[in-house]
Amino acid sequence: MYAAGRFYSLSYQDTKTYLFSLLFIAGNILLPQLCHLFHLGGVIWLPIFFFTLIGAYKYGIWVGLLTAVLSPVINSVAFGMPPAVILPEMILKSALLAMGAAYVAKQTKKVSFIGILLCILGYQMIGSGVEMLAGADPAHILNSLKLGIPGMTVQLLGGFGLLKLIQKI
């Protein structure tokens, strides 16, 4: 485990990896449930990605990937959201976000507004590109990106703020 600043890269062999993952998965279950109370809440606010970003940035790739993969699967099985048909897309985007956030945190060793912005744009652009290669309608993808701007903004501003708040913990 390295501790650069106050960012940690927990090993998959470390019990803390699984404990923190459970915490962030719980957040990624509760936050979407709140957002789904509103029409198109999941599509607009993108809540299932928020704690993946925080977990991966603060605790590294293993916490990030566990949160990224298990959150959408548990939500889909338990609540039907995301629908099973888009589960691969959600897992891909979540995993891309986890990898990007863990990488940026490891390289910068600080909470970086630009770094978080690049993580968010990266997972959205790469994930959307893969969707297009898989045959998804480009107009649908562009509409989804447009609808998700408030959620990406919350990820950026809220993620930056929360990470700054917990960076010394």
Side-chain angles (χ1 to χ4, degrees), residues 24 31 45 49-55 57 111-113 116-117 120 149-167:
F24 294 118
L31 188 57
W45 298 109
F49 299 108
F50 188 77
F51 289 104
T52 300
L53 169 66
I54 303 303
Y57 207 100
V111 178
S112 166
F113 188 84
I116 294 170
L117 175 63
I120 294 165
I149 289 173
M152 289 181 257
T153 303
V154 168
Q155 289 169 24
L156 177 60
L157 299 177
F160 179 77
L162 184 55
L163 284 164
K164 284 298 258 187
L165 185 68
I166 66 172
Q167 102 182 19

Side-chain angles (χ1 to χ4, degrees), residues 130-151:
V130 170
E131 287 180 75
M132 279 197 243
L133 289 174
D137 178 22
H140 174 75
I141 292 170
L142 288 174
N143 190 49
S144 292
L145 288 170
K146 183 176 78 173
L147 283 171
I149 289 173

Side-chain angles (χ1 to χ4, degrees), residues 49 52 68 88-98 123-128 131 141 144-145:
F49 299 108
T52 300
E89 162 196 331
M90 296 294 290
I91 292 171
L92 171 68
K93 285 185 175 181
S94 289
L96 289 168
L97 176 59
Y123 91 84
Q124 286 290 342
M125 295 301 111
I126 294 169
S128 296
E131 287 180 75
I141 292 170
S144 292
L145 288 170

Side-chain angles (χ1 to χ4, degrees), residues 60-113:
I61 190 69
W62 294 111
V63 171
L65 285 176
L66 284 168
T67 305
V69 173
L70 294 177
S71 296
V73 170
I74 292 169
N75 273 300
S76 183
V77 170
F79 305 107
M81 294 300 283
V85 69
I86 66 165
L87 201 51
E89 162 196 331
M90 296 294 290
I91 292 171
L92 171 68
K93 285 185 175 181
S94 289
L96 289 168
L97 176 59
M99 290 184 285
Y103 179 79
V104 166
K106 186 174 181 178
Q107 296 305 310
T108 63
K109 297 176 179 48
K110 64 180 183 175
V111 178
S112 166
F113 188 84

